[in-house]
Amino acid sequence: TNAGKSTLFNAITGAEVMAKDQLFATLDPTMRGLRLPSGRRVILSDTVGFISELPHELVEAFRATLEEVAQADIILHVRDAAHPDSVAQRSDVIEVLDGMVADGTLDSDWPSRTIEVMNKADLLGGVAMVPPRTGSVAVSAISGEGLDSLAAAIDARIGASMELLSVELAPSDGARMAWLYRHGEIVERIDTDEAVRMTVRIAPADVARWERLEETP
């Protein structure tokens, strides 16, 4: 908690989530849309902050606010890069998430879809002063430095999980073409008099939706 999650959320999405230097300032997850460099649109959710040695009576309420973590394609673990106990705080977060794996509320591969966001780089003199770490991105929600790199990292991670779909459509089939442009990233398009051949990078869930759409007369 107090790692600057809500400030970062506001900076990257243009939202106005309450950001205060106090515990549990964000209790109700807030969601906003974000357009990535590739043109993909994603939904970001701002969740509650973590705290070590949480009183037992608050544990269940705390975990209930983390339901979005279990459903998320990408998890952004926002850390205070300037905090003297940043490493210990990281361990506390991992311990809680591993506990959620143990009780079946979170899948065990959550680390593979996590990006560590080293926030408050401005307090260390800028992004270049944050020690590099694999799978992490240094940013400053206050100055805006590194936010483009974070958006690119999210884009790349989502793109890596997507599938390539080869499609051939009639030139007059504008409705299906528009659907593909809305839901995927057009990698290649070749137009001829007889057909439009497209290669589309698309999420697995949207592949299933496309197949159902293809079955529609």
Side-chain angles (χ1 to χ4, degrees):
T1 192
N2 290 338
K5 297 177 305 304
S6 296
T7 303
L8 176 63
F9 184 86
N10 291 341
I12 200 170
T13 67
E16 296 182 356
V17 174
M18 181 176 67
K20 289 187 176 181
D21 184 17
Q22 67 182 47
L23 300 180
F24 302 129
T26 306
L27 284 173
D28 296 319
T30 301
M31 291 182 284
R32 291 289 186 276
L34 173 68
R35 186 173 294 279
L36 296 174
S38 66
R40 299 187 191 99
R41 287 193 63 83
V42 296
I43 296 174
L44 266 62
S45 177
D46 184 27
T47 65
V48 69
F50 286 70
I51 180 173
S52 60
E53 299 179 8
L54 189 67
H56 179 73
E57 60 271 18
L58 290 179
V59 170
E60 290 306 314
F62 169 74
R63 287 195 176 190
T65 66
L66 296 177
E67 292 176 356
E68 283 79 7
V69 174
Q71 302 296 324
D73 295 304
I74 303 295
I75 300 169
L76 302 182
H77 176 186
V78 184
R79 297 174 55 190
D80 180 349
H83 198 287
D85 293 326
S86 183
V87 175
Q89 290 173 345
R90 177 180 184 272
S91 297
D92 286 339
V93 170
I94 291 174
E95 182 179 353
V96 171
L97 294 179
D98 282 343
M100 293 174 67
V101 172
D103 64 24
T105 57
L106 182 65
D107 56 292
S108 60
D109 72 343
W110 68 264
S112 68
R113 52 193 177 94
T114 298
I115 299 173
E116 286 196 346
V117 184
M118 306 299 291
N119 192 27
K120 302 190 181 183
D122 54 291
L123 298 182
L124 296 174
V127 163
M129 301 305 294
V130 178
R133 178 185 175 88
T134 302
S136 73
V137 179
V139 305
S140 168
I142 294 295
S143 72
E145 186 182 11
L147 295 186
D148 288 346
S149 296
L150 176 57
I154 296 170
D155 213 354
R157 189 68 64 90
I158 290 176
S161 67
M162 300 180 88
E163 300 179 9
L164 282 179
L165 181 68
S166 295
V167 176
E168 183 172 311
L169 299 171
S172 60
D173 198 349
R176 284 182 170 84
M177 285 184 212
W179 191 96
L180 290 168
Y181 272 96
R182 286 197 308 271
H183 292 86
E185 176 187 354
I186 308 304
V187 177
E188 183 180 48
R189 173 172 171 164
I190 300 174
D191 290 72
T192 68
D193 292 338
E194 296 79 23
V196 176
R197 297 179 180 89
M198 303 169 70
T199 301
V200 186
R201 185 174 287 114
I202 193 168
D206 283 327
V207 171
R209 295 187 184 98
W210 169 256
E211 290 172 349
R212 290 194 297 271
L213 186 64
E214 281 283 81
E215 295 170 357
T216 304

